Amino acid sequence: MTHLLKKSVKLALVQLANGADKPRNLLHARAKVLEASKAGAKIIVLPECFNSPYGCQYFPEYAETLLPSPPSEEQSPSYHALSSMAKEAKAYLVGGSIPELVPDTKKYYNTSLTFDPAGQLLGTHRKIHLFDIDIPGKIRFQESEVLSAGNGITIVDLPEYGKIGVAICYDIRFPEMSIISARKGVFAMIVPGAFNLTTGKLHWELEARARAADNQIYVALCSPARDMNAMYHAWGHSTVVNPMAQVMSQASESEEIVYADLTPEEIAETRKAIPMYEQRRFDVYPDVSAGDIVFQEAPIGDVGK
């Protein structure tokens, strides 16, 4: 039997406390990635905007240039820090996200970089769905005032283990991304995110469990730690959910690393018990994973042009 996940693996979500000092954030991230590695994690995830404060007003100040790839250390210190972390940890690293600037177009993106244990870039995801919301009396946030949207679904091949889907925060609310990724063979959706205290309480765990139940895969959401002195208050509660939509591990709101052991058998047993993949009725409704879909499976290359 061919498994989506080739062999068992320990996953770590680093719920990082970061601040305004980028070099300090990068050093702190390195320490926590190495801590996760020493605990046996072979896939390690950092949160959204791990190298900077979260907020539209911060994106231009903290943005780095990633093209042409690889960038110089001056163009992108975070790229080189992540590459070094992955190599030092001997682990696959989903590097949360960083603000990216494409100088030719003057466009900013919220961008996630995934590296292999040799420090090589495996994949790049630019956040597809921009967080533009207005909940009266609660929160207004308009990422589109600064950011541009990515244009590809990202599937990254981790040769030892299989494929993962990578998304960023608000992307998780759009089930088509996870459905397409799952039907293309991912064993997990990995989502650095920073839900706020309103949406986090309502939907953070719900979205993770819903995507897992829909697709019978692992889902991992990695948040920054909550800082009530910051402009933006992240929900925290980084969460790993299994293919049966049960919470495997979950952080509190403070800085913490949470771990989960992912196994091939858990996916297979779930799909055997509830055989959704054999029972879908594409004679009644369309397969959203078929047809013309834009994928961003490789490093960004010429995507920014």
Side-chain angles (χ1 to χ4, degrees), residues 143-184:
E143 279 189 332
S144 66
E145 292 176 351
V146 176
L147 294 178
S148 295
N151 63 359
I153 290 175
T154 302
I155 294 174
V156 182
D157 185 21
L158 315 184
E160 294 171 67
Y161 300 108
K163 297 176 181 179
I164 59 171
V166 178
I168 297 175
C169 201
Y170 197 50
D171 285 340
I172 194 66
R173 289 187 179 273
F174 299 85
E176 294 87 352
M177 284 186 68
S178 298
I179 292 169
I180 291 165
S181 298
R183 292 195 63 78
K184 298 301 182 182

Side-chain angles (χ1 to χ4, degrees), residues 107-179:
K107 290 183 176 180
Y108 294 96
Y109 297 91
N110 189 345
T111 302
S112 180
L113 303 170
T114 299
F115 292 86
D116 72 10
Q120 297 298 308
L121 181 66
L122 289 181
T124 303
H125 178 71
R126 287 175 171 156
K127 190 175 187 178
I128 294 175
H129 303 94
L130 299 183
F131 185 53
D132 287 359
I133 67 162
D134 189 354
I135 303 175
K138 297 287 186 179
I139 185 171
R140 181 185 183 275
F141 202 92
Q142 301 289 313
E143 279 189 332
S144 66
E145 292 176 351
V146 176
L147 294 178
S148 295
N151 63 359
I153 290 175
T154 302
I155 294 174
V156 182
D157 185 21
L158 315 184
E160 294 171 67
Y161 300 108
K163 297 176 181 179
I164 59 171
V166 178
I168 297 175
C169 201
Y170 197 50
D171 285 340
I172 194 66
R173 289 187 179 273
F174 299 85
E176 294 87 352
M177 284 186 68
S178 298
I179 292 169

Side-chain angles (χ1 to χ4, degrees), residues 33-34 37 80-93 115-120:
V33 166
L34 293 180
S37 173
H80 288 273
L82 289 168
S83 174
S84 296
M85 287 178 216
K87 188 173 182 179
E88 196 171 356
K90 297 181 175 62
Y92 292 96
L93 178 62
F115 292 86
D116 72 10
Q120 297 298 308

